[in-house]
Amino acid sequence: IEHSLPSTCPPSVASTVPSSVHIKKNPPIPSNKQPPEATMSAEAETKPTPAEAPSAPAPAAQSAAPGPSASGGAPNSFTSASLYVGDLLPEVNEGLLYEIFNAVGPVASIRVCRDAVTRRSLGYAYVNYHQAADAERALDSMNFTDIKGKPCRIMWSQRDPSVRRSGVGNIFVKNLHEGIDNKQLYDTFSLFGNILSCKVVCDRETGLSKGYGYVHYETNEAAASAIDKLDGMLIDGKEVQVGVFMRRDTRPDQEVYTNLFIKNMPYEWDDKRLEAEFAEFGEIVSASVKMGKRKKFAKKGKKAEAKKDEDDKEDGAEDKPAEEEKPEEEAKPAEEEAKPESTEPESLGFGFVNFATHEAAAAAVEAMNDKVYKVTEDGDEVEKALFVGRAQKKSERQAELRSKYEAEKMERIAKFQGVNLYVKNLDDAVTDDMLRDEFGGMGTITSAKIMRDAKTNNSRGFGFVCFSTPEDATRAVNEMSGKIVAGKPIYVSLAQRREVRRAQLEAQHAGGRGGGPGGPG
């Protein structure tokens, strides 16, 4: 195991600061090295500490509390000898962690937290020492040490979630250079006080930094000092933004926006034209048209005309003389010459406009949304209606569309609840009209449909009948189930969603497997 230097800063802390960090003025230098008395930050760790994670026994020798903290000389409030170890690879197990951490001092117990179903590692573990001093030493010497080629992240285990949820000392850092990792973030921000936890957020699939992270200080004073000195400073050539972390539900109103998304724009618009169209509503910070390679789609009208010409020929239309076919042949070289496509980027038909104030952005949405422009594209004159709205993150847009879809789905389910019937064991000869006639005596039918194969149009042997009232549907279930239709007894029941039906079948199957006389033991 390759040990890194102690994670906290020694007295000569200025020598450990990355040369790419530019600070406004010399901050107060922390006192001698002390262990970071960490808890999990509100955003650094979203997974709750499992209740079953073992806690170390508390021997009498453990009562000796650690010395003063680096942030202000207050006594250490942690008397536990339990550490949280995060950012572990899936193959890291208890045996490997025991070998690593037992080298520092006697380990009482180790638990790698796993998924309850798959038993796959969740990427974090708890290491419990007999002595608090050993836990401090492990925290100092092994934080950010490579375990199987990946740096681990160690902090004190704190079961009380109120420390994380309070938000005291928790800051948010964004616009980080993609090369900055957890250790570099720690080294940069540890100048201003004792850090309980810090983390650069990475993509789960690629492992690459998302460009933002969190730092949780022991005190609000340390957090305020870091914000004052580092907000707007250059770190590895990028100007970072540092501010107080706010939970999603406490952030400013989402309706107060300045950035707009515009789509269905004329393709000839560039950045200057886009800015000119929106300039009347207020000061514009930036305007950008998204550029790239457009996909070419064949026009439906031309395809239909070509198909019509073929049909005319098949119907015995007179053959055109050879002279009339010549222009077609002469046009071929021109088409061949047009094949090489330009590599220059083109407008993709959408872009963004960022205003200086929310009022200007709101006025632009009000005036420009659904505004129609007449443009010429591919030789045809068309009308394009702009869409102008608040720019959203992909995750926010997906969540909105998902909730909209679920609402529509539940509305449909509620509408047809108790009135839609499922009919199966139908003969292939049964049609929609025959099905409607058979069930017509039960009440008013709003729709009757035989389900058919999309390719062959053959009946799939089942269909649906929807009544106007639940009473008519119930009557049809009672009287029509088992009736002979086209020589076959049909099965009729209330239509169910697939997941509900699957759950019922699984419950019946599980009940049928129960042990009993004559059943499987």
Side-chain angles (χ1 to χ4, degrees), residues 352-363:
F352 300 88
V353 176
N354 190 19
F355 285 92
T357 64
H358 165 67
E359 290 73 21

PDB file of all heavy atoms in Angstrom, residues 352-363:
ATOM      1  N   PHE A 352     -29.173  29.535 -27.036  1.00  0.00           N
ATOM      2  CA  PHE A 352     -29.424  30.054 -25.692  1.00  0.00           C
ATOM      3  C   PHE A 352     -29.179  31.558 -25.668  1.00  0.00           C
ATOM      4  O   PHE A 352     -28.265  32.061 -26.329  1.00  0.00           O
ATOM      5  CB  PHE A 352     -28.514  29.368 -24.668  1.00  0.00           C
ATOM      6  CG  PHE A 352     -28.693  27.886 -24.588  1.00  0.00           C
ATOM      7  CD1 PHE A 352     -27.978  27.034 -25.421  1.00  0.00           C
ATOM      8  CD2 PHE A 352     -29.601  27.330 -23.698  1.00  0.00           C
ATOM      9  CE1 PHE A 352     -28.143  25.667 -25.359  1.00  0.00           C
ATOM     10  CE2 PHE A 352     -29.780  25.961 -23.628  1.00  0.00           C
ATOM     11  CZ  PHE A 352     -29.054  25.128 -24.472  1.00  0.00           C
ATOM     12  N   VAL A 353     -29.992  32.251 -24.881  1.00  0.00           N
ATOM     13  CA  VAL A 353     -29.808  33.685 -24.646  1.00  0.00           C
ATOM     14  C   VAL A 353     -29.859  33.915 -23.147  1.00  0.00           C
ATOM     15  O   VAL A 353     -30.841  33.540 -22.491  1.00  0.00           O
ATOM     16  CB  VAL A 353     -30.892  34.529 -25.352  1.00  0.00           C
ATOM     17  CG1 VAL A 353     -30.726  36.008 -24.997  1.00  0.00           C
ATOM     18  CG2 VAL A 353     -30.831  34.338 -26.857  1.00  0.00           C
ATOM     19  N   ASN A 354     -28.806  34.527 -22.610  1.00  0.00           N
ATOM     20  CA  ASN A 354     -28.737  34.801 -21.174  1.00  0.00           C
ATOM     21  C   ASN A 354     -28.850  36.298 -20.936  1.00  0.00           C
ATOM     22  O   ASN A 354     -28.025  37.070 -21.426  1.00  0.00           O
ATOM     23  CB  ASN A 354     -27.423  34.264 -20.592  1.00  0.00           C
ATOM     24  CG  ASN A 354     -27.408  34.311 -19.087  1.00  0.00           C
ATOM     25  OD1 ASN A 354     -28.451  34.396 -18.446  1.00  0.00           O
ATOM     26  ND2 ASN A 354     -26.232  34.261 -18.495  1.00  0.00           N
ATOM     27  N   PHE A 355     -29.902  36.702 -20.201  1.00  0.00           N
ATOM     28  CA  PHE A 355     -30.134  38.120 -19.903  1.00  0.00           C
ATOM     29  C   PHE A 355     -29.495  38.487 -18.568  1.00  0.00           C
ATOM     30  O   PHE A 355     -29.196  37.630 -17.731  1.00  0.00           O
ATOM     31  CB  PHE A 355     -31.631  38.406 -19.851  1.00  0.00           C
ATOM     32  CG  PHE A 355     -32.295  38.457 -21.204  1.00  0.00           C
ATOM     33  CD1 PHE A 355     -32.868  37.327 -21.754  1.00  0.00           C
ATOM     34  CD2 PHE A 355     -32.335  39.640 -21.923  1.00  0.00           C
ATOM     35  CE1 PHE A 355     -33.474  37.362 -22.998  1.00  0.00           C
ATOM     36  CE2 PHE A 355     -32.934  39.700 -23.178  1.00  0.00           C
ATOM     37  CZ  PHE A 355     -33.503  38.556 -23.716  1.00  0.00           C
ATOM     38  N   ALA A 356     -29.329  39.775 -18.372  1.00  0.00           N
ATOM     39  CA  ALA A 356     -28.753  40.260 -17.117  1.00  0.00           C
ATOM     40  C   ALA A 356     -29.774  40.227 -15.987  1.00  0.00           C
ATOM     41  O   ALA A 356     -29.408  40.105 -14.811  1.00  0.00           O
ATOM     42  CB  ALA A 356     -28.224  41.678 -17.301  1.00  0.00           C
ATOM     43  N   THR A 357     -31.072  40.333 -16.314  1.00  0.00           N
ATOM     44  CA  THR A 357     -32.111  40.359 -15.278  1.00  0.00           C
ATOM     45  C   THR A 357     -33.220  39.364 -15.610  1.00  0.00           C
ATOM     46  O   THR A 357     -33.452  39.016 -16.782  1.00  0.00           O
ATOM     47  CB  THR A 357     -32.734  41.760 -15.150  1.00  0.00           C
ATOM     48  OG1 THR A 357     -33.399  42.088 -16.379  1.00  0.00           O
ATOM     49  CG2 THR A 357     -31.665  42.798 -14.838  1.00  0.00           C
ATOM     50  N   HIS A 358     -33.916  38.937 -14.571  1.00  0.00           N
ATOM     51  CA  HIS A 358     -35.036  38.006 -14.749  1.00  0.00           C
ATOM     52  C   HIS A 358     -36.187  38.690 -15.486  1.00  0.00           C
ATOM     53  O   HIS A 358     -36.869  38.058 -16.303  1.00  0.00           O
ATOM     54  CB  HIS A 358     -35.518  37.505 -13.388  1.00  0.00           C
ATOM     55  CG  HIS A 358     -36.859  36.843 -13.443  1.00  0.00           C
ATOM     56  ND1 HIS A 358     -37.078  35.649 -14.098  1.00  0.00           N
ATOM     57  CD2 HIS A 358     -38.070  37.220 -12.954  1.00  0.00           C
ATOM     58  CE1 HIS A 358     -38.353  35.309 -14.002  1.00  0.00           C
ATOM     59  NE2 HIS A 358     -38.979  36.245 -13.315  1.00  0.00           N
ATOM     60  N   GLU A 359     -36.406  39.953 -15.209  1.00  0.00           N
ATOM     61  CA  GLU A 359     -37.522  40.676 -15.833  1.00  0.00           C
ATOM     62  C   GLU A 359     -37.367  40.699 -17.355  1.00  0.00           C
ATOM     63  O   GLU A 359     -38.351  40.503 -18.101  1.00  0.00           O
ATOM     64  CB  GLU A 359     -37.592  42.113 -15.298  1.00  0.00           C
ATOM     65  CG  GLU A 359     -38.032  42.234 -13.841  1.00  0.00           C
ATOM     66  CD  GLU A 359     -36.970  41.802 -12.851  1.00  0.00           C
ATOM     67  OE1 GLU A 359     -35.782  41.796 -13.247  1.00  0.00           O
ATOM     68  OE2 GLU A 359     -37.332  41.452 -11.709  1.00  0.00           O
ATOM     69  N   ALA A 360     -36.141  40.921 -17.840  1.00  0.00           N
ATOM     70  CA  ALA A 360     -35.899  40.930 -19.286  1.00  0.00           C
ATOM     71  C   ALA A 360     -36.145  39.554 -19.886  1.00  0.00           C
ATOM     72  O   ALA A 360     -36.747  39.424 -20.961  1.00  0.00           O
ATOM     73  CB  ALA A 360     -34.472  41.385 -19.569  1.00  0.00           C
ATOM     74  N   ALA A 361     -35.703  38.507 -19.178  1.00  0.00           N
ATOM     75  CA  ALA A 361     -35.903  37.137 -19.667  1.00  0.00           C
ATOM     76  C   ALA A 361     -37.388  36.788 -19.730  1.00  0.00           C
ATOM     77  O   ALA A 361     -37.858  36.193 -20.706  1.00  0.00           O
ATOM     78  CB  ALA A 361     -35.160  36.154 -18.761  1.00  0.00           C
ATOM     79  N   ALA A 362     -38.135  37.170 -18.696  1.00  0.00           N
ATOM     80  CA  ALA A 362     -39.575  36.886 -18.668  1.00  0.00           C
ATOM     81  C   ALA A 362     -40.297  37.616 -19.788  1.00  0.00           C
ATOM     82  O   ALA A 362     -41.206  37.063 -20.429  1.00  0.00           O
ATOM     83  CB  ALA A 362     -40.149  37.283 -17.308  1.00  0.00           C
ATOM     84  N   ALA A 363     -39.903  38.872 -20.056  1.00  0.00           N
ATOM     85  CA  ALA A 363     -40.528  39.631 -21.134  1.00  0.00           C
ATOM     86  C   ALA A 363     -40.243  38.990 -22.493  1.00  0.00           C
ATOM     87  O   ALA A 363     -41.109  38.951 -23.378  1.00  0.00           O
ATOM     88  CB  ALA A 363     -40.016  41.072 -21.111  1.00  0.00           C
TER      89      ALA A 363
END
